[in-house]
Amino acid sequence: MGTQLICDPDELRTLFLFEKLDDDQLAWLCRDGRVEHFEPGLVFREGDPATCFYVLMDGEVVLTKRSGGEEIELVRTSHRGSYSGAWSAYMGDKVDQSYSGSFYVTEPSRFFVLDAGTFARMMQEWFPMALHLLEGVFFGNRNANEIIGQRERLLALGSLSAGLTHELNNPAAAAVRATASLRDRVAGMRHKLKMMAHGKFDSAALEALVQLQEEAATQVAKAPTLTPMEAADREDELGDWLENHGIANGWDIAPTFVQAGFDIDWLEKVAATLEGCDGGVFEGAIRWLNYTVETELLMSEITDSTTRISSLVDAAKQYSQMDRAPFQVVDLHELLDSTLVMLARKIGDGITVVKEYDRALPQVPCYPAELNQVWTNLIDNAVAAMDGRGTLTVRTYRENDCAAVEVCDTGSGVPPEIRNRIFEPFFTTKPVGEGTGLGLDISFRIVVNKHGGDIRVESEPGDTRFVVRLPLNPTNRAAQPNPEVQ
């Protein structure tokens, strides 16, 4: 607290805040308030209970706010009548009554000071109508933000659900198709095995044939990846060989053997094993091996499809943070990956996704579900900016005591004239009806208010970067569990 001085009503009248008050009101201010002198230093700190309302009479003040683990200067002024402190005291316990920033004096200064309770009583007694109007504006805007913010979250959820349904449908349909085909192939294999049982095989030939079947099944798992040209050439070679060895419609079998990685040498080994058998037995053996290969390929397809479904479900659980505590210490890369999976359909095939992750980045204490909302908003905006064509880069790195996440796009950029407005509520560059203008506002409040971090934009045509910084070791109140995002 500063040194208390004499309060002069006439001097108060020279301050723009009080110039319209009458003599009785000015006398009331001097009686219930006070003038104090402050030496350079801290007057009040961000997050402390808001106990006083300060009006600058002479001197200089600086207002700061913590962001990304650093204290950022917001205002520096010597303008007489500038005020700060418990200005919302008149709303009582309806809102959080703590200082929203830190307040410093840079040179010897004088203030007119009202205790928060006194300021609230003055507002309630002198300006009852204005008080109702202010409350209406404050809570009306907050309710509107909440309603539209909720609608935006529901729209995003609907879009993500549609995308997830589409992503799940593809592997599920593939698994169903492969299962039906597998049943046919197994039935065919049983039929061929029965025919072979009536053939002229000695025990050594039959044992060798079963060994070839085992080799065929093993080979499928390590089949090489061929270019379309290489595959076509090998299919021609195998098709010719099968035709020359009396296999009817050998061209239909050749692609399956090529897909499994077989070549002429392997077919020659089969022929040598069955040397001396009649042509029907040989053809039956080839088709039986073909069924074996097809069965293995189909089982691999079913495995891949069900693994994909499992991965998508895991990504959805990671994204929604289902069954997890609201506040956790997490790997940011898991959150980013799950968001990219959920947005895969919206990103589309025309956009290349590049991930540049610093895997040495420590885990971050945070609200994961809400950070996923931030990543969703930033990636969605980046995709829209590129209009379906370009490169989306998601980058992480350490910056001092913060974890930094960049979402970059190659779109047309954010024009300089609106760069300072993009985090404002309801500001949008999208056509009417296509955007609420709350995506970046919500992201800002989650990052800054709830995590004590920082979010900024750097943009030029072809290179726009939204940079989010989150404290690795948060010490301020904003980064602790259970704060409300205002």
Side-chain angles (χ1 to χ4, degrees):
M1 180 177 290
T3 304
Q4 190 162 334
L5 305 174
I6 296 174
C7 179
D8 181 0
D10 290 332
E11 185 179 18
L12 290 185
R13 185 179 277 114
T14 65
L15 304 175
F16 71 88
L17 199 60
F18 305 132
E19 62 186 2
K20 299 297 184 181
L21 301 184
D22 58 34
D23 291 342
D24 290 340
Q25 290 171 322
L26 291 170
W28 187 95
L29 286 177
C30 275
R31 184 179 68 251
D32 287 51
R34 59 188 181 275
V35 175
E36 291 188 30
H37 174 88
F38 285 83
E39 290 296 324
L42 178 70
V43 178
F44 57 76
R45 189 177 302 281
E46 179 181 354
D48 289 345
T51 58
C52 294
F53 176 74
Y54 296 87
V55 183
L56 180 64
M57 300 181 72
D58 52 60
E60 184 183 64
V61 297
V62 173
L63 182 65
T64 69
K65 191 170 183 65
R66 292 189 65 82
S67 178
E70 299 179 9
E71 201 165 9
I72 308 299
E73 182 177 312
L74 300 179
V75 177
R76 179 182 292 264
T77 183
S78 57
H79 183 66
R80 297 180 72 250
S82 298
Y83 55 89
S84 188
W87 66 271
S88 62
Y90 63 87
M91 286 189 281
D93 58 7
K94 298 175 184 177
V95 299
D96 177 36
Q97 295 296 340
S98 58
Y99 292 121
S100 60
S102 296
F103 197 61
Y104 295 90
V105 170
T106 61
E107 62 184 47
S109 304
R110 284 189 311 140
F111 293 89
F112 175 72
V113 183
L114 283 173
D115 291 336
T118 304
F119 177 69
R121 189 171 71 254
M122 180 197 77
M123 291 290 290
Q124 291 160 359
E125 292 180 2
W126 294 5
F127 312 109
M129 180 177 174
L131 190 64
H132 290 307
L133 290 172
L134 286 170
E135 284 187 354
V137 169
F138 182 89
F139 291 112
N141 283 343
R142 190 164 76 172
N143 290 341
N145 285 356
E146 289 176 354
I147 291 170
I148 296 180
Q150 184 180 31
R151 179 178 180 274
E152 181 161 285
R153 286 190 289 270
L154 289 172
L155 288 172
L157 180 61
S159 176
L160 290 172
S161 297
L164 181 60
T165 301
H166 176 81
E167 293 292 329
L168 286 170
N169 183 64
N170 288 339
V176 170
R177 288 194 303 269
T179 301
S181 298
L182 181 62
R183 184 176 289 109
D184 291 340
R185 298 307 183 274
V186 171
M189 186 183 294
R190 289 197 302 267
H191 178 67
K192 288 298 178 187
L193 187 59
K194 181 179 179 181
M195 291 176 63
M196 290 169 59
H198 291 87
K200 298 177 180 178
F201 288 93
D202 58 29
S203 59
L206 188 58
E207 185 177 349
L209 188 59
V210 171
Q211 180 60 37
L212 284 172
Q213 183 189 36
E214 293 294 333
E215 290 179 12
T218 303
Q219 175 64 30
V220 171
K222 53 184 181 182
T225 301
L226 303 176
T227 66
M229 184 67 71
E230 290 171 335
D233 289 343
R234 188 169 293 188
E235 286 174 15
D236 288 342
E237 293 175 2
L238 266 64
D240 288 341
W241 189 96
L242 292 168
E243 291 287 335
N244 292 335
H245 285 73
I247 307 299
N249 300 319
W251 295 99
D252 295 333
I253 299 175
T256 302
F257 283 164
V258 170
Q259 188 178 353
F262 298 139
D263 54 20
I264 297 294
D265 291 341
W266 186 81
L267 291 177
E268 292 286 358
K269 185 191 295 186
V270 176
T273 301
L274 300 176
E275 188 175 0
C277 297
D278 63 43
V281 170
F282 177 68
E283 180 171 356
I286 287 291
R287 294 193 182 280
W288 180 56
L289 290 171
N290 178 63
Y291 281 132
T292 298
V293 172
E294 286 186 322
T295 299
E296 290 296 324
L297 290 171
L298 288 168
M299 286 194 292
S300 295
E301 184 176 350
I302 292 170
T303 299
D304 291 342
S305 298
T306 53
T307 300
R308 174 62 176 163
I309 291 171
S310 179
S311 298
L312 286 167
V313 172
D314 286 344
K317 289 178 68 176
Q318 174 67 258
Y319 180 84
S320 65
Q321 292 295 298
M322 189 184 303
D323 302 327
R324 303 189 184 192
F327 190 83
Q328 302 172 59
V329 178
V330 300
D331 183 346
L332 290 180
H333 304 116
E334 294 180 359
L335 305 185
L336 292 166
D337 284 342
S338 68
T339 304
L340 287 169
V341 169
M342 295 295 287
L343 291 173
R345 186 171 180 233
K346 179 171 284 190
I347 292 171
D349 297 330
I351 293 177
T352 301
V353 178
V354 177
K355 295 190 283 190
E356 297 179 1
Y357 290 168
D358 177 5
R359 293 294 183 178
L361 194 65
Q363 293 191 328
V364 178
C366 64
Y367 293 85
E370 299 198 26
L371 283 184
N372 280 340
Q373 188 177 357
V374 174
W375 314 142
T376 299
N377 290 336
L378 296 183
I379 292 171
D380 187 52
N381 284 349
V383 170
M386 291 185 285
D387 197 24
R389 290 285 182 274
T391 300
L392 171 69
T393 303
V394 181
R395 182 180 297 115
T396 65
Y397 53 91
R398 182 165 184 162
E399 185 176 306
N400 300 321
D401 292 329
C402 293
V405 177
E406 286 188 8
V407 177
C408 318
D409 68 70
T410 55
S412 58
V414 182
E417 61 270 19
I418 67 169
R419 209 166 291 165
N420 292 331
R421 298 192 59 201
I422 58 175
F423 294 106
E424 293 178 8
F426 306 108
F427 179 80
T428 179
T429 58
K430 295 178 181 178
V432 175
E434 293 187 16
T436 61
L438 281 179
L440 289 178
D441 171 58
I442 290 171
S443 299
F444 182 89
R445 287 186 284 124
I446 289 172
V447 172
V448 177
N449 294 7
K450 197 149 192 176
H451 289 87
D454 176 54
I455 181 170
R456 64 180 185 269
V457 62
E458 302 168 1
S459 183
E460 59 184 49
D463 184 14
T464 296
R465 304 168 183 232
F466 279 86
V467 185
V468 173
R469 295 190 303 163
L470 299 166
L472 291 170
N473 300 294
T475 55
N476 59 314
R477 185 179 61 89
Q480 302 307 314
N482 298 323
E484 290 296 328
V485 177
Q486 301 295 336

